[in-house]
Short mmCIF file of all heavy atoms in Angstrom, two decimals:
data_model
loop_
_atom_site.label_atom_id
_atom_site.label_comp_id
_atom_site.label_asym_id
_atom_site.label_seq_id
_atom_site.Cartn_x
_atom_site.Cartn_y
_atom_site.Cartn_z
N ASN H 67 -7.97 -19.96 8.83
CA ASN H 67 -8.36 -21.18 9.58
C ASN H 67 -8.64 -22.31 8.68
O ASN H 67 -8.97 -22.12 7.49
CB ASN H 67 -9.59 -20.94 10.54
CG ASN H 67 -10.90 -20.85 9.94
OD1 ASN H 67 -11.40 -21.81 9.27
ND2 ASN H 67 -11.55 -19.70 10.01
N GLU H 68 -8.61 -23.50 9.20
CA GLU H 68 -8.57 -24.72 8.29
C GLU H 68 -9.82 -24.93 7.46
O GLU H 68 -9.84 -25.21 6.25
CB GLU H 68 -8.35 -26.03 9.24
CG GLU H 68 -6.92 -26.24 9.55
CD GLU H 68 -5.98 -26.14 8.40
OE1 GLU H 68 -6.20 -26.76 7.34
OE2 GLU H 68 -4.95 -25.34 8.48
N THR H 69 -11.01 -24.60 8.09
CA THR H 69 -12.30 -24.74 7.29
C THR H 69 -12.40 -23.81 6.14
O THR H 69 -12.66 -24.20 4.97
CB THR H 69 -13.48 -24.35 8.24
OG1 THR H 69 -13.25 -24.93 9.53
CG2 THR H 69 -14.79 -24.78 7.64
N VAL H 70 -11.90 -22.61 6.32
CA VAL H 70 -11.92 -21.58 5.37
C VAL H 70 -10.94 -21.95 4.22
O VAL H 70 -11.31 -21.95 2.99
CB VAL H 70 -11.58 -20.17 5.86
CG1 VAL H 70 -11.26 -19.17 4.71
CG2 VAL H 70 -12.67 -19.61 6.81
N LYS H 71 -9.71 -22.43 4.56
CA LYS H 71 -8.75 -22.81 3.65
C LYS H 71 -9.26 -23.97 2.80
O LYS H 71 -9.21 -23.97 1.54
CB LYS H 71 -7.47 -23.23 4.44
CG LYS H 71 -6.26 -23.16 3.67
CD LYS H 71 -5.06 -23.39 4.53
CE LYS H 71 -3.91 -24.07 3.73
NZ LYS H 71 -2.88 -24.38 4.72
N GLU H 72 -9.85 -24.93 3.41
CA GLU H 72 -10.36 -26.13 2.70
C GLU H 72 -11.45 -25.71 1.70
O GLU H 72 -11.33 -26.08 0.54
CB GLU H 72 -11.03 -27.13 3.70
CG GLU H 72 -10.04 -28.27 3.97
CD GLU H 72 -10.61 -29.04 5.15
OE1 GLU H 72 -11.90 -29.34 5.19
OE2 GLU H 72 -9.83 -29.33 6.14
N LEU H 73 -12.34 -24.88 2.14
CA LEU H 73 -13.41 -24.46 1.28
C LEU H 73 -12.90 -23.67 0.09
O LEU H 73 -13.31 -23.79 -0.97
CB LEU H 73 -14.51 -23.61 2.04
CG LEU H 73 -15.40 -24.39 3.06
CD1 LEU H 73 -16.15 -23.47 3.88
CD2 LEU H 73 -16.34 -25.20 2.18
N ALA H 74 -11.93 -22.73 0.42
CA ALA H 74 -11.37 -21.89 -0.67
C ALA H 74 -10.70 -22.78 -1.62
O ALA H 74 -10.79 -22.52 -2.90
CB ALA H 74 -10.38 -20.90 -0.05
N GLU H 75 -9.92 -23.72 -1.21
CA GLU H 75 -9.23 -24.60 -2.05
C GLU H 75 -10.18 -25.40 -3.05
O GLU H 75 -9.91 -25.62 -4.21
CB GLU H 75 -8.25 -25.50 -1.48
CG GLU H 75 -6.89 -24.79 -1.24
CD GLU H 75 -6.01 -25.38 -0.13
OE1 GLU H 75 -6.45 -26.46 0.47
OE2 GLU H 75 -4.90 -24.75 0.10
N LYS H 76 -11.23 -25.85 -2.41
CA LYS H 76 -12.28 -26.61 -3.10
C LYS H 76 -12.91 -25.73 -4.21
O LYS H 76 -13.11 -26.17 -5.24
CB LYS H 76 -13.30 -27.06 -2.09
CG LYS H 76 -13.71 -28.53 -2.26
CD LYS H 76 -14.48 -29.02 -1.08
CE LYS H 76 -15.66 -29.69 -1.42
NZ LYS H 76 -16.51 -30.02 -0.18
N CYS H 77 -13.23 -24.48 -3.75
CA CYS H 77 -13.75 -23.50 -4.67
C CYS H 77 -12.87 -23.25 -5.94
O CYS H 77 -13.33 -23.14 -7.01
CB CYS H 77 -14.05 -22.16 -4.05
SG CYS H 77 -15.54 -22.11 -3.07
N ALA H 78 -11.62 -23.20 -5.72
CA ALA H 78 -10.63 -22.90 -6.71
C ALA H 78 -10.76 -23.95 -7.89
O ALA H 78 -10.44 -23.65 -9.02
CB ALA H 78 -9.22 -22.81 -6.19
N GLY H 79 -11.07 -25.16 -7.52
CA GLY H 79 -11.17 -26.28 -8.46
C GLY H 79 -12.58 -26.37 -9.09
O GLY H 79 -12.79 -27.23 -9.98
N GLU H 80 -13.51 -25.51 -8.70
CA GLU H 80 -14.86 -25.55 -9.21
C GLU H 80 -15.02 -24.92 -10.51
O GLU H 80 -14.37 -23.93 -10.85
CB GLU H 80 -15.82 -24.83 -8.20
CG GLU H 80 -16.12 -25.56 -6.93
CD GLU H 80 -17.03 -26.81 -7.20
OE1 GLU H 80 -18.08 -26.66 -7.77
OE2 GLU H 80 -16.57 -27.88 -6.78
N GLU H 81 -15.84 -25.56 -11.35
CA GLU H 81 -16.16 -24.93 -12.60
C GLU H 81 -17.45 -24.04 -12.35
O GLU H 81 -18.19 -24.30 -11.35
CB GLU H 81 -16.62 -26.04 -13.64
CG GLU H 81 -15.62 -27.07 -13.85
CD GLU H 81 -14.69 -26.69 -15.14
OE1 GLU H 81 -15.20 -26.01 -15.94
OE2 GLU H 81 -13.46 -27.02 -15.09
#
Side-chain angles (χ1 to χ4, degrees):
N67 79 58
E68 281 311 311
T69 317
V70 169
K71 202 171 149 186
E72 259 168 49
L73 285 169
E75 275 161 3
K76 224 162 133 190
C77 276
E80 284 290 303
E81 302 269 329

